[in-house]
Amino acid sequence: STALNNASTLIPALRQQDEAFSVAFSVLREGIRQRSFPAASVAVAHRDQVLALKSFGHVTYAPDSPRPTPNTLFDLASVTK
């Protein structure tokens, strides 16, 4: 996305992300707390402007697991088959 590559667009919007997305962020934190998933990374964009860019938790449940970044790639799989 153009917005992710444009620091002047990215930085001012992110200053208010914790307040603007507090409910969504708390849902992710609760999912991690309940061990539904070990980590999450979220990006919210609107009209080529990044409004939120944040990561939570640890990449795996291992005690020494690193924290994810917005660039962390997650393995997605279906468990309904």
Side-chain angles (χ1 to χ4, degrees):
S1 165
T2 304
L4 289 176
N5 296 322
N6 185 346
S8 64
T9 302
L10 184 64
I11 294 168
L14 293 179
R15 290 184 190 139
Q16 298 154 354
Q17 72 176 342
D18 288 328
E19 182 180 333
F21 297 98
S22 64
V23 173
F25 290 171
S26 68
V27 169
L28 293 173
R29 285 188 191 98
E30 182 61 15
I32 291 167
R33 188 190 71 71
Q34 292 183 11
R35 295 181 64 91
S36 298
F37 43 86
S41 189
V42 62
V44 178
H46 178 67
R47 295 188 177 174
D48 207 32
Q49 183 179 27
V50 176
L51 304 177
L53 185 64
K54 194 161 181 135
S55 297
F56 305 88
H58 292 271
V59 175
T60 69
Y61 289 116
D64 60 346
S65 179
R67 292 196 173 273
T69 70
N71 294 326
T72 299
L73 296 178
F74 291 90
D75 182 26
L76 299 177
S78 173
V79 293
T80 60
K81 294 182 179 116

